[in-house]
Amino acid sequence: EDQVTQSPEALRLQEGESSSLNCSYTVSGLRGLFWYRQDPGKGPEFLFTLYSAGEEKEKERLKATLTKKESFLHITAPKPEDSATYLCAVQARISGTYKYIFGTGTRLKVLA
Amino acid sequence: DGGITQSPKYLFRKEGQNVTLSCEQNLNHDAMYWYRQDPGQGLRLIYYSQIVNDFQKGDIAEGYSVSREKKESFPLTVTSAQKNPTAFYLCATRETSRNEQYFGPGTRLTVT
């Protein structure tokens, strides 16, 4: 079954305490993997697209990496304003068409 | 000011009433999507449209209808046939030459 699993479901960090969020996927024909940030009551905000194993993307305190089975979102020295839900999605070829599959997200809380 | 607008932000309806959610974009993107987001679940695709005057059902289209008469607009109607319509509804767009989707701010629909 094609699916995307994110872990942990929730994560509490102290300000400055670096950590990683995981997104594992079981799909065939991966076309791209996407990371989004979502604040409560708002739409997801696009962060990164990764296309192939070994690829890395960075933006401020965030760095996304991709392997053949999973992606990590590394957060270095997080600040309280990094608190949000982080969503992972893949675009894959399923039954002859390209579809997007979303994970359920990791809720990150960064404490001052 | 470029982007995706969804209106209204909050919508309350009685059971048995149809309701239409608006999604407008000025990004000149060809593809548009409707998702619903429920607690503890990944985003689920309702309908999508790759070009004007054409749209396809997603994974959970029952009880919903859409139209795509203009490139900028992709309204979603939640009909009385939708058994559990209370949810957060998200509209997204995608530029044809790219794979990432961009999301609007969302509409929270509550049906009682």
Side-chain angles (χ1 to χ4, degrees), chain A residues 31-32 34 36 38 41-46 49 51 87 91 97-104, chain B residues 9 33 35 37 40-43 48 59 88 90 94 98-106 108:
Chain A
R31 198 177 191 190
F34 314 95
Y36 292 88
Q38 185 175 26
K42 298 191 176 180
E45 173 191 349
F46 171 72
T49 303
Y51 290 106
L87 301 177
Q91 186 188 27
T97 63
Y98 284 105
K99 295 186 177 182
Y100 294 86
I101 304 172
F102 285 79
T104 54
Chain B
K9 184 175 174 70
Y33 305 79
Y35 290 91
Q37 187 174 35
Q41 298 193 45
L43 273 66
Y48 66 101
D59 300 316
F88 189 50
L90 289 161
R94 181 179 64 84
R98 301 191 63 84
N99 301 103
E100 63 269 11
Q101 298 173 310
Y102 292 89
F103 287 86
R108 183 164 299 281

